[in-house]
């Protein structure tokens, strides 16, 4: 195989540390597997002395397979993730097995109990627990240091107590989570130096892919393991570091250079030739990423000659979101008619909540598609369940069981169904219904008024609710949703709820907007109900297909999930402020990471790149993303 000069130098680097800055499409995986071949064949390094680490199990298996094909069989080289390596070390030291690893279900249960222990309440939605989980991971990945950490979800005192209770539950049930694998290994190396020495002799040559995604604790552990041989070969691109929410710190690549450049044999190499993207794509993406200040300077160029007669990068703006999505669908059909396979087309977006409307249209047009991320079903979100409960309760009150997107279960007793629906929305917004009242087996308005006799502030709200349900029962789907949001006061309830729990109010309001937009498509509840049923089945099937790795068709991916992929044609939707960069990004460091995400999205395209924006989405105005202008488009 022919290598360019930088690739050749990387492949043949032998003893001592080396940092390879590998731009998009620069052949880094090819360099890594050929370097392993060089070490084993030319330098006679025993394969079992070589350790190759990457960040996901899938990536590790792909690397192993590439090497197996190159060598014509297994050679004994170790391929794995950081977590698999450290769990192996812990398993030898403490005799852990798979039963000791905390499951996702257990993690959420422990977190919910820990949050309740500091008085955060009984109604903790999964969004809150997911954010809490990320914060705890960030603390652990930074070494468990709490003094300088500023939690975003709650006050510092409560956060410290939550972590303490969470850790107590872990230890009491003899469980460890993925973050513990790092912390416990770090403590093991500190207290048992002979164990560290043993593993140092096991692995004399260490190669690490995607080094820009490393966290401080991983950095400390792997550099300890590499000493004293210091045959550590890292490959990464600080311009593609997009996992700060997992604790990744791209500045660690700068630290690596600073700490290792004085060691004999050290090299910094830049793989600056992009074999994937057209020159137009390389040019616009380079313009964009050059705006970041905290990065290694590198000149990238394309070695690819475009076979297209037109520009390979196009930016389009639309007056409204529907036209943007329709354009995507029409272009996909047109490209497929011209011979571009659906599997060579991808649609990228910043968050997994964005492609709901696109999924519906792809299904309607019978265009095959696959989803890399778990696209949440908005109709199963607790907000949707609240809206549906209002509509269904209105139907029950009016004696019409068919009202509502799901319709009340005709097999259920009227009283049982009424109670279930009422409990869903009793204090959303607050009506001061007591827990004692809500525990009663029979609930209806007569019971509620009787239980709250003399409490004017409650009975007034109950009277208003009864009036609202009567109004809702007479409305079509869209009018009913609008009434619940404004007249009932659900929007104001949601804003207060989100503020008290540190939740993303824009994201939650976006879900409400999508539910309202969906309701506008149907005059009758029966038709809306059928759409919801079909949409739910599609997402369930896509989830099964993803788990079975039998995906085909147009790929739908977030910017995060798109990393490491490439397609003939890429559509980036919602290239708007508030999405790219995301509205929560406020600091210069956060904006730089958002820019890196957009850079990753741009460089997934080989031949065609469409960047799209709409001025209006669900009644809200959006400005074109600053990144579009920075890319010179």
């Amino acid at each position: 195989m022919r290598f360019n000069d930088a690739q050749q130098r990387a492949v043949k680097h032998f003893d001592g540390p080396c940092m390879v800055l590998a731009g998009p499409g620069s052949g880094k995986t090819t360099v890594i597997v050929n370097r392993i071949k060089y070490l084993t064949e030319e330098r006679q390094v025993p394969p079992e002395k070589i350790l190759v680490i990457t960040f996901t199990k899938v990536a590790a298996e792909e690397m192993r397979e590439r090497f197996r094909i190159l060598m014509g069989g297994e050679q004994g080289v170790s391929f794995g993730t950081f977590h698999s390596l450290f769990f192996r070390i812990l398993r030898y030291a403490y005799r852990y097995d798979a039963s000791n690893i905390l499951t996702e279900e257990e993690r959420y249960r422990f977190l919910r109990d820990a949050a309740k222990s500091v008085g955060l309440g009984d109604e903790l939605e999964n969004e809150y627990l997911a954010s809490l989980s990320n914060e705890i991971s960030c603390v652990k990945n930074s070494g468990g240091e709490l003094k300088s950490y500023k939690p975003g979800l709650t006050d510092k005192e409560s956060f410290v107590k939550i972590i303490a209770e969470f850790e107590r539950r872990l230890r009491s049930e003899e469980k460890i989570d993925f973050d513990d694998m790092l912390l416990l290994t770090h403590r093991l190396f500190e207290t048992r130096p002979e164990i560290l020495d043993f593993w140092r002799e096991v692995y004399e040559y260490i190669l690490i892919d995607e080094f820009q995604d490393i966290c401080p604790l991983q950095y400390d552990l792997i550099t300890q393991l590499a000493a004293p041989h210091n045959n550590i070969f890292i490959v990464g691109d600080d311009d593609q570091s997009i996992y700060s929410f997992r604790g990744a710190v791209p500045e660690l690549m700068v630290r690596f250079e600073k700490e290792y450049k004085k060691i004999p044999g050290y090299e910094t190499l830049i793989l600056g030739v992009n074999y994937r993207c057209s020159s137009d794509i390389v040019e616009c993406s380079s313009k964009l990423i050059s705006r970041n200040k905290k990065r290694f300077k590198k000149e990238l160029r394309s070695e690819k000659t475009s076979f297209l007669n037109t520009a390979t990068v196009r930016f389009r703006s639309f007056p409204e979101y529907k036209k943007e999505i329709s354009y995507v669908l029409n272009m996909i059909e047109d490209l497929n008619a011209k011979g571009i396979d659906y599997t060579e087309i991808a649609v990228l977006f910043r968050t997994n909540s964005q492609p709901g409307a696109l999924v519906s249209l792809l299904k309607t047009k019978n265009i095959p598609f696959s989803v890399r991320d778990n696209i949440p079903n908005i109709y199963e979100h607790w907000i949707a369940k609240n809206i549906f409960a209002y509509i269904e309760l209105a139907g029950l009150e009016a004696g019409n069981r068919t009202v509502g997107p799901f319709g009340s279960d005709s097999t259920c007793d009227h009283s049982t169904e009424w109670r279930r629906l009422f409990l869903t929305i009793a204090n959303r917004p607050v009506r001061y219904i007591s827990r004692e009242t809500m525990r009663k087996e029979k609930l209806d308005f007569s019971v509620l008024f009787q239980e709250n006799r003399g409490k004017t502030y409650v009975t007034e709200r109950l009277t208003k609710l009864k009036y609202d349900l009567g109004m809702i029962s007479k409305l079509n789907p869209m009018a009913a949703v609008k009434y619940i949001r404004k007249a009932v006061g659900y929007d104001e309830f949601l804003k207060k709820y989100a503020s008290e729990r540190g939740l993303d109010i824009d994201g939650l309001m976006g879900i409400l907007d999508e539910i309202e937009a969906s309701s506008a498509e149907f005059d009758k509840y029966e038709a809306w109900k059928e759409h919801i049923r079909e949409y739910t089945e599609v997402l369930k099937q896509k989830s099964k297909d993803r788990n079975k790795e039998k995906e085909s068709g147009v790929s739908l991916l977030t910017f995060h999930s798109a990393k490491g992929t490439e397609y003939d044609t890429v559509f980036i939707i919602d290239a708007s402020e508030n999405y790219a960069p995301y509205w929560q990004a406020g600091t210069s460091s956060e904006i730089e990471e958002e820019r890196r995400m957009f850079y990753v999205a741009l460089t997934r395209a080989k031949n065609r790149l469409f960047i799209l924006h709409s001025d209006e989405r669900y009644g809200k105005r959006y400005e074109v993303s600053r990144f579009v202008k920075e890319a010179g488009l």
Side-chain angles (χ1 to χ4, degrees), residues 203-471:
Y203 299 122
E204 291 186 15
Y205 288 82
I206 300 175
L207 297 85
I208 305 174
D209 190 19
E210 306 287 7
F211 195 80
Q212 75 278 348
D213 297 331
I214 203 166
C215 73
L217 194 52
Q218 290 168 333
Y219 181 94
D220 290 343
L221 283 165
I222 205 66
T223 51
Q224 284 185 65
L225 196 61
H229 306 291
N230 291 318
N231 295 322
I232 180 168
F233 182 91
I234 70 167
V235 182
D237 182 7
D238 56 323
D239 289 336
Q240 297 185 70
S241 178
I242 60 174
Y243 293 113
S244 66
F245 68 93
R246 294 181 188 167
V249 179
E251 289 82 4
L252 288 172
M253 296 189 75
V254 176
R255 177 179 164 187
F256 182 91
E257 182 179 55
K258 184 178 180 180
E259 292 180 349
Y260 282 95
K261 65 181 179 181
K262 295 180 182 178
I263 294 176
Y266 177 81
E267 283 188 283
T268 293
L269 302 171
I270 298 176
L271 304 185
V273 180
N274 186 321
Y275 295 97
R276 174 195 303 154
C277 307
S278 73
S279 57
D280 289 347
I281 296 169
V282 171
E283 182 181 352
C284 78
S285 61
S286 295
K287 281 182 181 177
L288 171 74
I289 202 62
S290 68
R291 295 294 188 108
N292 275 5
K293 295 179 181 178
K294 296 179 180 179
R295 62 184 292 263
F296 287 99
K297 296 290 189 293
K298 23 185 143 36
E299 295 293 328
L300 304 178
R301 71 180 192 277
S302 173
E303 281 287 299
K304 188 171 183 177
T305 303
S306 175
F307 61 86
L308 303 178
N309 296 321
T310 60
T312 55
V313 182
R314 301 182 203 173
F315 169 69
R316 291 287 304 271
S317 185
F318 301 87
E320 60 181 8
Y321 185 61
K322 279 186 179 180
K323 291 186 177 180
E324 178 184 342
I325 298 301
S326 294
Y327 176 81
V328 173
L329 269 292
N330 292 336
M331 286 301 300
I332 288 174
E333 289 182 318
D334 183 55
L335 288 167
N336 183 249
K338 291 177 179 176
I340 305 299
D341 195 271
Y342 286 129
T343 57
E344 280 295 316
I345 301 172
V347 181
L348 310 186
F349 32 86
R350 172 64 178 83
T351 71
N352 65 350
S353 64
Q354 290 170 244
L358 182 62
V359 168
S360 294
L361 282 175
L362 286 167
K363 173 188 159 297
T364 301
K365 293 211 170 201
N366 291 317
I367 296 175
F369 67 95
S370 63
V371 291
R372 177 73 68 90
D373 303 89
N374 177 30
I375 295 177
N377 185 348
I378 61 166
Y379 303 118
E380 293 181 347
H381 194 278
W382 58 269
I383 291 176
K385 290 177 180 177
N386 288 175
I387 298 298
F388 297 160
Y390 270 109
I391 296 173
E392 293 179 25
L393 190 59
L396 277 186
E397 274 291 290
N400 181 3
R401 285 180 177 266
T402 63
V403 171
F406 297 117
S408 297
D409 188 349
S410 59
T411 64
C412 283
D413 174 75
H414 180 284
S415 176
T416 302
E417 190 69 356
W418 200 99
R419 182 179 186 278
R420 180 186 70 81
L421 294 169
F422 176 77
L423 292 180
T424 303
I425 51 88
N427 284 313
R428 297 188 170 197
V430 174
R431 298 185 175 92
Y432 303 101
I433 311 297
S434 68
R435 290 184 182 179
E436 290 72 21
T437 298
M438 291 193 286
R439 289 193 184 104
K440 291 193 171 294
E441 290 187 18
K442 185 179 185 304
L443 274 181
D444 56 26
F445 276 117
S446 63
V447 172
L448 290 168
F449 279 112
Q450 183 179 342
E451 287 292 315
N452 292 283
R453 189 177 299 158
K455 299 178 182 178
T456 307
Y457 60 95
V458 179
T459 56
E460 284 181 354
R461 285 167 172 78
L462 289 172
T463 300
K464 174 68 164 56
L465 174 60
K466 192 166 185 177
Y467 170 81
D468 287 336
L469 293 176
M471 295 297 293

Side-chain angles (χ1 to χ4, degrees), residues 12 36-45:
K12 293 193 174 182
I36 303 168
K37 179 182 180 183
Y38 172 78
L39 290 175
T40 56
E41 290 187 345
E42 301 296 325
R43 294 292 188 166
Q44 305 302 309
V45 175

Side-chain angles (χ1 to χ4, degrees), residues 317-324 574 576 613-623:
S317 185
F318 301 87
E320 60 181 8
Y321 185 61
K322 279 186 179 180
K323 291 186 177 180
E324 178 184 342
D574 298 330
S576 312
H613 158 80
S614 52
D615 295 327
E616 186 177 339
R617 181 183 172 108
Y618 303 138
K620 295 181 181 178
R621 301 289 296 178
Y622 289 91
E623 296 294 324

